[in-house]
Amino acid sequence: MSGYFRDLDSKMNKNLTLLANMAKIDLLVENPLTLQSKQLTGYPTLRRIKSGEYRIIYQINNDILEILVLRIGKRNDAEVYRQLGHLV
């Protein structure tokens, strides 16, 4: 029975993480300048925000007021930062 609860906890954590990331993206949509973000080194048009242990990489196109969320991933494995050149 404990394995069931462990699986349930894991699924709940994934869902909570997804909701937290979506909440951050909603805040970006409302006003992209209110969140603390940093410009990515070597990518002058890309910015990142923190969402727990995850990073959300995005780009703002001011001409048409759109926000492109390019990638969401864990910070500690650096996967979120790999191959960014292909995205911009």
Side-chain angles (χ1 to χ4, degrees), residues 21-71:
N21 288 336
M22 290 178 70
K24 285 282 188 164
I25 292 169
D26 283 343
L27 290 173
L28 274 176
V29 170
E30 289 175 20
N31 187 349
L33 302 178
T34 59
L35 294 173
Q36 281 190 339
S37 66
K38 291 189 177 184
Q39 180 182 339
L40 289 180
T41 304
Y43 300 95
T45 62
L46 299 183
R47 303 197 62 79
R48 72 165 167 85
I49 56 171
K50 295 179 180 181
S51 181
E53 65 182 74
Y54 286 81
R55 298 299 177 260
I56 300 171
I57 309 296
Y58 68 99
Q59 179 178 26
I60 301 172
N61 294 329
N62 291 324
D63 296 342
I64 49 177
L65 295 175
E66 75 176 348
I67 299 169
L68 301 173
V69 176
L70 301 172
R71 189 169 273 195

Side-chain angles (χ1 to χ4, degrees), residues 40 43 48 53-55 57 71-84:
L40 289 180
Y43 300 95
R48 72 165 167 85
E53 65 182 74
Y54 286 81
R55 298 299 177 260
I57 309 296
R71 189 169 273 195
I72 299 173
K74 286 190 173 184
R75 175 191 72 83
N76 57 357
D77 65 8
E79 181 65 32
V80 70
Y81 298 112
R82 290 190 191 121
Q83 299 178 346
L84 286 177

